[in-house]
Amino acid sequence: MTPDQITLIQDSFAKVAPISDAAAEIFYARLFEIAPEVKPYFTNDMTEQGAKLMATLGVVVKGLRDLDKIVPVAQQLAVKHVDYGVKAEDYAPVGASLIYTLEKGLGDDFTPDLKDAWTEAYTVLSGVMIEAAYGQAAAE
């Protein structure tokens, strides 16, 4: 990720944060639509789950300029998610749902450059998470 991409991501997330409840609803609705097999992973209150998602995303976005601090947290989170039944292949629909949510939430502000920046960030972090949870072969 370039410094400009990080700036784009952080600026765009600042626009999403005020609509975090709606963004979380869009995210999970889309995720369950394109990957219904992941729905059983979510047994808690979805409003609470959405708040956790947005809080975690906020921490990651804020820390993108210091990946050395974010990566270990992301790795721990990935390992923990294995206990919930999450598989390596579940990361792709999560990424697609994230991009969809940003596109819907930001409207015309979701430019191709912004999409590329978010896609790059998700690809990097999900790769690290998949490797931590499932090994190098799964991350490739």
Side-chain angles (χ1 to χ4, degrees), residues 3 81 88 107 119 137:
H81 277 77
T119 300

PDB file of all heavy atoms in Angstrom, residues 3 81 88 107 119 137:
ATOM      1  N   PRO A   3       1.480   5.400   0.564  1.00  0.00           N
ATOM      2  CA  PRO A   3       0.955   6.418   1.493  1.00  0.00           C
ATOM      3  C   PRO A   3      -0.324   7.085   0.971  1.00  0.00           C
ATOM      4  O   PRO A   3      -1.235   7.378   1.753  1.00  0.00           O
ATOM      5  CB  PRO A   3       2.109   7.414   1.607  1.00  0.00           C
ATOM      6  CG  PRO A   3       3.335   6.593   1.335  1.00  0.00           C
ATOM      7  CD  PRO A   3       2.909   5.591   0.284  1.00  0.00           C
ATOM      8  N   HIS A  81     -10.702 -16.889  14.979  1.00  0.00           N
ATOM      9  CA  HIS A  81     -11.844 -17.168  14.107  1.00  0.00           C
ATOM     10  C   HIS A  81     -11.878 -18.619  13.623  1.00  0.00           C
ATOM     11  O   HIS A  81     -12.931 -19.103  13.217  1.00  0.00           O
ATOM     12  CB  HIS A  81     -11.868 -16.196  12.926  1.00  0.00           C
ATOM     13  CG  HIS A  81     -12.503 -14.888  13.272  1.00  0.00           C
ATOM     14  ND1 HIS A  81     -11.855 -13.919  13.998  1.00  0.00           N
ATOM     15  CD2 HIS A  81     -13.734 -14.394  13.007  1.00  0.00           C
ATOM     16  CE1 HIS A  81     -12.659 -12.892  14.161  1.00  0.00           C
ATOM     17  NE2 HIS A  81     -13.807 -13.149  13.585  1.00  0.00           N
ATOM     18  N   ALA A  88     -10.384 -20.614   5.229  1.00  0.00           N
ATOM     19  CA  ALA A  88      -9.604 -19.692   4.403  1.00  0.00           C
ATOM     20  C   ALA A  88     -10.444 -19.121   3.259  1.00  0.00           C
ATOM     21  O   ALA A  88     -10.354 -17.930   2.944  1.00  0.00           O
ATOM     22  CB  ALA A  88      -8.355 -20.388   3.865  1.00  0.00           C
ATOM     23  N   GLY A 107     -21.203   5.991  -2.187  1.00  0.00           N
ATOM     24  CA  GLY A 107     -21.802   6.468  -3.437  1.00  0.00           C
ATOM     25  C   GLY A 107     -20.757   6.935  -4.425  1.00  0.00           C
ATOM     26  O   GLY A 107     -19.776   6.241  -4.696  1.00  0.00           O
ATOM     27  N   THR A 119      -9.073  -2.562  -1.837  1.00  0.00           N
ATOM     28  CA  THR A 119      -8.807  -3.929  -2.274  1.00  0.00           C
ATOM     29  C   THR A 119      -7.388  -4.335  -1.916  1.00  0.00           C
ATOM     30  O   THR A 119      -7.158  -5.453  -1.420  1.00  0.00           O
ATOM     31  CB  THR A 119      -9.062  -4.074  -3.787  1.00  0.00           C
ATOM     32  OG1 THR A 119     -10.432  -3.736  -4.055  1.00  0.00           O
ATOM     33  CG2 THR A 119      -8.764  -5.477  -4.277  1.00  0.00           C
ATOM     34  N   ALA A 137       0.482 -22.261   2.575  1.00  0.00           N
ATOM     35  CA  ALA A 137      -0.161 -22.808   1.381  1.00  0.00           C
ATOM     36  C   ALA A 137      -1.559 -22.242   1.171  1.00  0.00           C
ATOM     37  O   ALA A 137      -1.970 -21.951   0.052  1.00  0.00           O
ATOM     38  CB  ALA A 137      -0.232 -24.328   1.458  1.00  0.00           C
TER      39      ALA A 137
END
